[in-house]
Amino acid sequence: MRILHTSDWHIGRTFHGHSTMDALAEVLAALTAQVQENAVDVVVVAGDVFDSATPSGPAYTLLGDALVALHETGARVIMTSGNHDSAARLGFQARLLRDGIHVLTDPLAVGEPITIADADGPVHFFGIPYLEPAIVRQHWPEGDAEGRQLRTQAQTMAHAMHLVRVGMAQHSGRSVAIAHCFAAGVDATIGLEREVRQGGLDVVPLSVFDGPDYVALGHIHGRQQISERVRYAGAPLHYSFGEQHKPRGSWLVDLDADGLAGVEWLELPVPRRLVTLTGPLEEILSEANVAAHIDDWVCAIYTDAAPQAEPMRRLRESFPFCAMVQHQPEVVAEERERSYSQRLRAAVTDAERIDAFLEHVRAGQGPTETESRLIRAVLDDRVRAEALV
């Protein structure tokens, strides 16, 4: 049996205020083509199908189109809910879908497999939806196998996998588990700590996943191999600049009569590359940079000592897809002996107060000669105006 493991579609998510719907539709079309070309029997989607518990109409449309296209290849589809999904809303879809598309969102059905047979016999797919301990512990008031109340993600996942192993004992043959969690040994994506930890997810030990021939995990946006048979596929689209160097794709998993026979990575196209440009603002705006990255999503980190005027406007004039700008001075001014408030208290004239303010907001850089002349001129005009009152 040939299985395609994907996850974390996050339909409806925006990228720095920009819609990702068209880009995701393009990538899912490429994924569908890979399913066709590689004669995939089962497509597994390991949670976070939607980005929100209340998806928009277009998000439902994109999901429907993707599932219909996958079904038309002849593959079966098995999908579970993640921490971004509403299990109730995603589960409602299950009743509307055609045969061969399975949406698993019920915690009480964790030990009941979807069974699909090939020439070597049955393969049992055990889907574990995202399990929030505070919500699902009511289903298992007796607690885990040792009678402990389920309080953490690790305890809850361990209990769910215990139920999976009970189901495996009752159904002979090969098995695949599908789950959405944060497993031990995973490298978090820079800039996505909120995603990695969202919902109070805590680390699930690798030993929890003992038993099945393959474990398809979701929740981490970059591909990860925890062991030969326990893997994350990651998201099919880049949703953060912290992911820009991580490939997008899915795992092609082969099972033979004895279990796991092989795993291959299938690369997916990147509709628009992500790039981080660092240096002085004028250097970032150089002709060479513009020529190389005019069609890319750009994160600009400029290192000038002082903040520059309207940096985003200037960047977008050269990089239409500049999504983010940060000011990180290359040389940070040493901390002054006196704090800003102390300098203000010590200032005698308005000019000194303005100088102290400019040094405070411009990383220690006070007014230029031109600015000093303008400041003095404005203050002199104010004195003359007050004298005439």
Side-chain angles (χ1 to χ4, degrees):
M1 182 172 291
R2 179 159 278 185
I3 302 163
L4 188 83
H5 167 200
T6 178
S7 71
D8 294 273
W9 290 2
H10 285 278
I11 301 174
R13 183 163 186 158
T14 59
F15 180 77
H16 294 275
H18 300 269
S19 172
T20 62
M21 297 286 275
D22 291 343
L24 183 58
E26 178 184 337
V27 171
L28 292 180
L31 183 146
T32 302
Q34 291 177 343
V35 169
Q36 181 77 53
E37 293 163 4
N38 292 279
V40 171
D41 300 297
V42 182
V43 176
V44 166
V45 187
D48 277 357
V49 178
F50 292 119
D51 188 61
S52 167
T54 54
S56 65
Y60 279 111
T61 300
L62 178 53
L63 175 60
D65 290 345
L67 292 178
V68 168
L70 289 170
H71 185 269
E72 289 177 349
T73 68
R76 305 279 287 273
V77 180
I78 301 176
M79 177 179 289
T80 61
S81 53
N83 59 303
H84 276 251
D85 298 308
S86 161
R89 285 187 172 85
L90 192 62
F92 178 74
Q93 292 280 97
R95 299 190 179 190
L96 307 178
L97 298 173
R98 61 194 70 189
D99 290 341
I101 301 177
H102 309 272
V103 181
L104 309 180
T105 62
D106 184 2
L108 295 178
V110 162
E112 302 171 11
I114 301 294
T115 300
I116 301 172
D118 64 4
D120 296 314
V123 177
H124 307 293
F125 292 83
F126 294 89
I128 304 174
Y130 169 65
L131 302 174
E132 174 58 54
I135 296 175
V136 301
R137 72 168 64 105
Q138 62 178 315
H139 300 310
W140 300 305
E142 71 283 1
D144 61 16
E146 299 179 7
R148 296 173 301 184
Q149 188 176 25
L150 305 178
R151 295 187 177 279
T152 69
Q153 182 75 29
Q155 290 175 327
T156 306
M157 277 298 305
H159 183 62
M161 282 301 300
H162 166 71
L163 297 178
V164 167
R165 284 186 284 272
V166 171
M168 289 171 58
Q170 297 170 348
H171 300 83
S172 61
R174 297 154 293 166
S175 59
V176 174
I178 310 161
H180 195 87
C181 64
F182 184 37
V186 167
D187 294 325
T189 301
I190 296 173
L192 279 186
E193 289 300 329
R194 183 189 67 83
E195 295 296 331
V196 171
R197 298 288 186 173
Q198 186 166 10
L201 298 189
D202 55 298
V203 177
V204 179
L206 179 59
S207 60
V208 164
F209 303 107
D210 288 348
D213 295 288
Y214 184 77
V215 180
L217 296 180
H219 185 54
I220 303 301
H221 284 199
R223 72 175 181 188
Q224 301 271 337
Q225 179 178 336
I226 310 303
S227 74
E228 184 62 26
R229 59 180 193 84
V230 181
R231 300 171 186 249
Y232 287 94
L237 198 65
H238 289 115
Y239 289 114
S240 163
F241 281 103
E243 304 171 0
Q244 68 188 63
H245 300 301
K246 296 187 176 183
R248 303 289 88 172
S250 51
W251 293 112
L252 186 63
V253 181
D254 283 315
L255 300 181
D256 60 16
D258 298 321
L260 185 63
V263 183
E264 177 187 353
W265 177 252
L266 296 183
E267 200 91 6
L268 282 170
V270 176
R272 191 178 303 284
R273 295 185 308 164
L274 280 69
V275 63
T276 298
L277 303 178
T278 303
L281 187 58
E282 292 304 322
E283 181 180 304
I284 292 174
L285 292 168
S286 68
E287 291 185 8
N289 269 339
V290 173
H293 303 295
I294 192 169
D295 293 321
D296 298 341
W297 288 118
V298 171
C299 170
I301 301 176
Y302 71 94
T303 59
D304 302 72
Q308 300 296 295
E310 300 184 278
M312 180 59 87
R313 179 189 61 77
R314 294 172 61 189
L315 285 160
R316 283 186 173 167
E317 287 176 352
S318 297
F319 303 104
F321 303 102
C322 182
M324 188 175 181
V325 60
Q326 297 178 358
H327 179 220
Q328 294 182 9
E330 192 170 36
V331 179
V332 178
E334 294 183 4
E335 186 176 354
R336 305 285 179 176
E337 292 183 2
R338 296 180 299 170
S339 68
Y340 172 53
S341 60
Q342 289 173 324
R343 293 201 305 273
L344 278 183
R345 284 196 296 268
V348 176
T349 66
D350 287 341
E352 290 175 348
R353 295 186 184 95
I354 295 171
D355 288 355
F357 172 76
L358 290 175
E359 287 185 19
H360 176 64
V361 300
R362 300 203 303 198
Q365 182 175 318
T368 64
E369 288 187 17
T370 301
E371 289 171 337
S372 294
R373 286 197 299 271
L374 288 172
I375 291 168
R376 287 196 299 271
V378 170
L379 293 175
D380 287 347
D381 288 343
R382 177 188 169 193
V383 169
R384 284 194 292 269
E386 290 177 348
L388 295 174
V389 174

